[in-house]
Amino acid sequence: AKGVLRETDDSELILCNLIVKADEFKEHGSFNEKLYPNEENEFIYRLKSTGHRILYSPGLAVKRSQRETVGAFIKMILTYGRGRGEQTRVSPKSFTPALLLPLLFPFLFIASLAAAVFICNPVFCFAPLAFFILPVCSWLHAGALKVKKSFYVPLLVFLAHMLYVFGFISGYFSKVYTADQKEFACKITEVE
């Protein structure tokens, strides 16, 4: 929960913290059953494209557990990437230029490694390190609170960027299944 009440889009909202009036939900066709995850992203895109305002309220926060293992984290990132790829196939206009940077990440990283190996200029030797700036910043931010867990944050953030792209590509080029044909990674075990 950060900032003040403001207009937003699907970049700040996920399904577990989304409130929609029932009549608006029904009127706009509810969720696209071909999508999971990203069903809410595509729905929000449809609402915004018809002139509806989407608001983010930091006072309405939902707390949910995080993935407990690295394997579960990897599966989550691949699934999120796949969902965005499927959403792009189902709703091509929902793809924005801002989504290009994460998609270019692995290719730019590989290109910088190749440049470091084949062009022995000192500048190129440090180029791959640039891809750790974001993870290191995350590590420093988290390090003040959780030293043991934060040690792995740079690697996990780097890994997340790489895996998201592979998930996106697999979602974009694979058959789109309906949500009921997919295996859900998170199952509700307890409601308070």
Side-chain angles (χ1 to χ4, degrees):
K2 292 184 180 179
V4 296
L5 180 69
R6 62 187 175 274
E7 280 200 52
T8 191
D9 56 25
D10 65 316
S11 66
E12 290 187 293
L13 299 172
I14 60 173
L15 188 54
C16 73
N17 69 1
L18 190 63
I19 298 172
V20 181
K21 291 179 182 175
D23 57 336
E24 294 289 332
F25 188 72
K26 291 174 187 171
E27 181 184 331
H28 291 281
S30 65
F31 295 134
N32 184 328
E33 292 185 10
K34 291 181 180 175
L35 295 175
Y36 167 77
N38 283 67
E39 67 275 19
E40 78 278 17
N41 301 78
E42 192 274 335
F43 180 73
I44 291 169
Y45 172 77
R46 269 189 283 136
L47 283 178
K48 282 191 72 92
S49 67
T50 59
H52 283 76
R53 292 175 63 208
I54 309 299
L55 300 176
Y56 172 80
S57 175
L60 299 172
V62 174
K63 294 180 181 178
R64 97 184 260 289
S65 62
Q66 297 301 314
R67 304 307 187 270
E68 292 189 17
T69 66
V70 173
F73 173 78
I74 289 170
K75 185 175 180 181
M76 175 190 73
I77 297 298
L78 286 169
T79 301
Y80 287 171
R82 189 204 67 215
R84 180 60 74 173
E86 289 176 351
Q87 179 187 346
T88 301
R89 277 184 53 197
V90 169
S91 181
K93 290 183 180 179
S94 68
F95 188 82
T96 63
L99 292 171
L100 279 177
L101 190 57
L103 296 178
L104 293 174
F105 185 86
F107 305 107
L108 293 173
F109 176 72
I110 292 167
S112 71
L113 281 177
V117 170
F118 297 112
I119 304 170
C120 292
N121 184 315
V123 173
F124 288 108
C125 291
F126 291 106
L129 295 176
F131 289 90
F132 287 95
I133 290 174
L134 176 63
V136 167
C137 289
S138 297
W139 177 71
L140 290 173
H141 176 71
L145 300 173
K146 301 175 184 174
V147 176
K148 288 182 180 180
K149 288 185 180 181
S150 68
F151 177 78
Y152 299 103
V153 169
L155 178 61
L156 291 175
V157 172
F158 173 78
L159 190 62
H161 282 77
M162 300 294 268
L163 294 172
Y164 185 86
V165 174
F166 296 123
F168 180 94
I169 291 168
S170 76
Y172 188 82
F173 291 105
S174 66
K175 177 182 174 184
V176 177
Y177 298 96
T178 59
D180 62 345
Q181 295 171 305
K182 294 182 182 177
E183 179 184 329
F184 289 82
C186 247
K187 298 196 180 354
I188 297 173
T189 56
E190 181 180 329
V191 178
E192 293 181 13

